[in-house]
Amino acid sequence: MIPADQLTQARERSCEMIRQAGVCVHPEQLADIQVVDFGIGELDQIGLQMLVVANTPVLTVKLLMLLPGQTCPQHRHGPFGDSPGKEETFRCVWGELYVMMPGEPTANPHASPPAHRREHFSSWNETVLQPGEQFTSPPDTPHWFQAGPQGAVLWTYETKSTDQADQFDDPDVAEKCGKLVESD
Ligand code: ZN
């Protein structure tokens, strides 16, 4: 449970970032901004704010607002049914976004997870997204992302949203939000 004052503050900062980003959102929709702390109560470090603008059986579009340095913890969108898992495209609108994927570790990456949770982050290949740039994460691939020092506003375009199939690397997050990554 996020304290009411923190919830209000996160929503207000999100609205301000949306305004700065120049994204047109109807005032009534602003009330639908969801504040997600992944159940671990460290919102300024681990969390995100989102507005779901489309959610159909085939496509989900979200507007994400990340506070400065705020991190979405490492996770993968695993297979379910006859689907290989969710594909996810990040398109930066404002600020700067660091997207971290498996592969050759980037020397001196911009992104840095909270020190006390670092052991739950293993993808260190960094793509830095400036406004207008985008990156697609394939299904079932461990990834995480973090906002730059200003924060970030981004669109995400996802194939059939399957949050219930998400697997998290941090056991504290997995306990509250879904499944722990199954070892390969
Ligand atoms: Zn994801």
Side-chain angles (χ1 to χ4, degrees), residues 75 77 88 90 143:
H75 62 282
H77 306 288
E88 189 173 34
F90 307 96
H143 62 280

Side-chain angles (χ1 to χ4, degrees), residues 1 14 21 28-29 32 39 42 47 66 84 91 103 120 123 126 129 137 145 161 165:
M1 191 85 170
S14 297
E28 282 181 10
Q29 273 192 308
D32 296 331
E42 300 170 7
L66 268 62
R91 182 175 174 87
H120 307 303
S123 293
E126 182 177 66
L129 297 183
S137 171
F145 50 94
S161 192

Side-chain angles (χ1 to χ4, degrees), residues 53 57 61 104 113 125 144 179:
V53 299
V61 180
E104 184 68 28
N125 184 273
W144 57 283
K179 296 194 297 182

Side-chain angles (χ1 to χ4, degrees), residues 19-114:
R19 192 190 64 74
Q20 287 180 303
V23 178
C24 184
V25 176
H26 193 284
E28 282 181 10
Q29 273 192 308
L30 293 174
D32 296 331
I33 292 174
Q34 298 174 48
V35 180
V36 180
D37 75 347
F38 298 95
I40 57 174
E42 300 170 7
L43 182 66
D44 286 345
Q45 297 179 85
I46 301 279
L48 52 83
Q49 293 63 234
M50 72 175 177
L51 185 61
V52 179
V53 299
N55 191 16
T56 76
V58 294
L59 177 76
T60 301
V61 180
K62 297 171 183 167
L63 186 63
L64 261 55
M65 289 68 64
L66 268 62
L67 307 174
Q70 201 178 25
T71 302
C72 177
Q74 184 170 305
H75 62 282
R76 65 171 77 187
H77 306 288
F80 63 99
D82 57 359
S83 165
K86 184 172 80 175
E87 179 189 274
E88 189 173 34
T89 293
F90 307 96
R91 182 175 174 87
C92 182
V93 183
W94 179 87
E96 197 170 55
L97 185 72
Y98 313 133
V99 182
M100 308 302 288
M101 299 293 292
E104 184 68 28
T106 298
N108 305 313
H110 296 78
S112 177

